[in-house]
Amino acid sequence: MFAEDTIFDVVGCLEYDPSLPSPKKHRQYLRQMAKFREALPIKNQNLLAKIHQTYRVQYIQDIVLPTPSVFVEDNMLNTLSSFIYFNKVEIVTLIQEDEKFLVELFAMLTDPKTLAVKRRDLILFLKEFNNFAQNLQPQGKDTFYKTLTTLGVLPALEITLAMTDQKTKAASIDILTSIVEYSSSTVRDYTLQQDNTTDPKKMLVNIALVQMLSDSEPELGGAVQLMGVIRILLDPENMLASVNKSDFLNFFYKHSIKILV
């Protein structure tokens, strides 16, 4: 029903509502107005088809179908949600299997020659990739974050967090928050490795602090998120028993506390 050659017929059937004077134009929107922007060229046609299919089915669920209260039973919505869920898991798996694609993505994110607009598209793609990965089971999620860490997600975030573009900054904060909430020890270990080897101004934790204090949003949404990140990193109860808890705290007082004073 959601195959490439039939999904628009399904959407077409759902455009007609007896209570409305004229049909809605969902097919026109999906075909002409909804544009897919590739941050990097996707050569895997199965992956590309799966991304398009997921977007269209999500559109059907969120926009085309009536509100849930209209349905006598929730079976239809549950089935649709399950379909989207498994599609997202498959998309994450396919992207992870294409190591060359991810290597190129992080290389461009950290390349000083990459234009700001391009870097924004890349980090927005990474944010969406990260959002899809939240559907993974614990073991799969662990593999996902280990892959990102190995490929250099934290050095990339040091660059994108400090950018002036609000979309780039917001996406970077979302990604960092997800990483810290899932595995704060990963960020602590990375931070400790920077001791005596990195300019304090370029350290990830310090960049996060500076961005927290300089948030220009009226509602301080980014600042609140970053405060949560710092709180988790500094919470001794979240530190693994195998890690010397004083190491990170000493690092913070040595390199970071002066930013807050």
Side-chain angles (χ1 to χ4, degrees):
M1 185 169 69
F2 296 137
E4 181 72 25
D5 58 343
T6 57
I7 190 167
F8 283 103
D9 294 333
V10 173
V11 174
C13 294
L14 295 171
E15 289 179 342
Y16 294 89
D17 185 341
S19 64
L20 297 176
S22 60
K24 295 185 178 180
K25 299 181 179 180
H26 296 304
R27 284 174 294 179
Q28 180 180 339
Y29 174 82
L30 289 172
R31 282 175 171 152
Q32 300 176 15
M33 301 179 67
K35 301 297 182 182
F36 176 65
R37 295 181 62 180
E38 291 183 88
L40 283 176
I42 297 175
K43 299 177 182 178
N44 186 330
Q45 293 304 308
N46 290 333
L47 171 59
L48 197 58
K50 190 65 65 175
I51 291 173
H52 287 311
Q53 183 188 61
T54 304
Y55 175 81
R56 291 163 182 165
V57 177
Q58 188 83 61
Y59 180 86
I60 291 173
Q61 183 185 52
D62 295 342
I63 306 298
V64 178
L65 291 180
T67 56
S69 60
V70 174
F71 294 99
V72 178
E73 297 182 0
D74 291 333
N75 290 343
M76 181 184 296
L77 289 180
N78 290 338
T79 301
L80 209 55
S81 296
S82 295
F83 184 88
I84 294 169
Y85 169 86
F86 287 111
N87 261 22
K88 289 181 177 180
V89 170
E90 187 174 351
I91 288 170
V92 172
T93 302
L94 288 171
I95 293 176
Q96 281 186 279
E97 289 175 351
D98 190 350
E99 188 173 332
K100 185 177 179 181
F101 177 85
L102 289 175
V103 168
E104 185 178 354
L105 185 147
F106 283 105
M108 292 192 69
L109 269 175
T110 54
D111 187 347
K113 297 179 182 179
T114 301
L115 298 177
V117 174
K118 184 65 175 179
R119 189 173 275 115
R120 180 191 64 198
D121 289 344
L122 292 167
I123 202 68
L124 288 174
F125 173 85
L126 188 59
K127 174 191 172 183
E128 199 67 20
F129 182 37
N130 178 67
N131 289 343
F132 279 21
Q134 303 313 305
N135 295 291
L136 298 173
Q137 296 298 315
Q139 184 176 356
K141 196 178 290 187
D142 188 57
T143 301
F144 171 78
Y145 282 116
K146 284 181 178 178
T147 299
L148 291 193
T149 303
T150 301
L151 291 172
V153 66
L154 297 179
L157 290 176
E158 289 173 347
I159 297 172
T160 57
L161 271 173
M163 294 186 66
T164 56
D165 180 77
Q166 287 302 315
K167 288 185 178 180
T168 302
K169 193 189 302 290
S172 303
I173 293 173
D174 285 344
I175 296 168
L176 179 60
T177 300
S178 294
I179 295 172
V180 170
E181 288 179 346
Y182 184 77
S183 179
S184 56
S185 61
T186 298
V187 179
R188 289 194 201 94
D189 290 342
Y190 173 76
T191 302
L192 290 174
Q193 292 171 12
Q194 294 182 308
D195 194 10
N196 300 322
T197 62
T198 306
D199 181 349
K201 293 181 180 179
K202 297 181 180 180
M203 292 176 175
L204 179 60
V205 171
N206 290 351
I207 292 171
L209 286 171
V210 170
Q211 295 305 315
M212 180 185 76
L213 295 173
S214 60
D215 188 8
S216 59
E217 291 184 21
E219 297 180 359
L220 300 177
V224 171
Q225 274 187 276
L226 289 172
M227 277 191 281
V229 166
I230 300 300
R231 180 186 61 78
I232 293 173
L233 291 175
L234 293 176
D235 185 359
E237 297 301 320
N238 285 325
M239 297 183 187
L240 297 175
S242 59
V243 176
N244 187 342
K245 297 181 180 182
S246 64
D247 286 349
F248 184 79
L249 296 177
N250 287 337
F251 174 94
F252 187 83
Y253 285 115
K254 177 182 177 182
H255 295 291
S256 307
I257 195 67
K258 57 187 175 183
I259 297 174
L260 298 173
V261 177

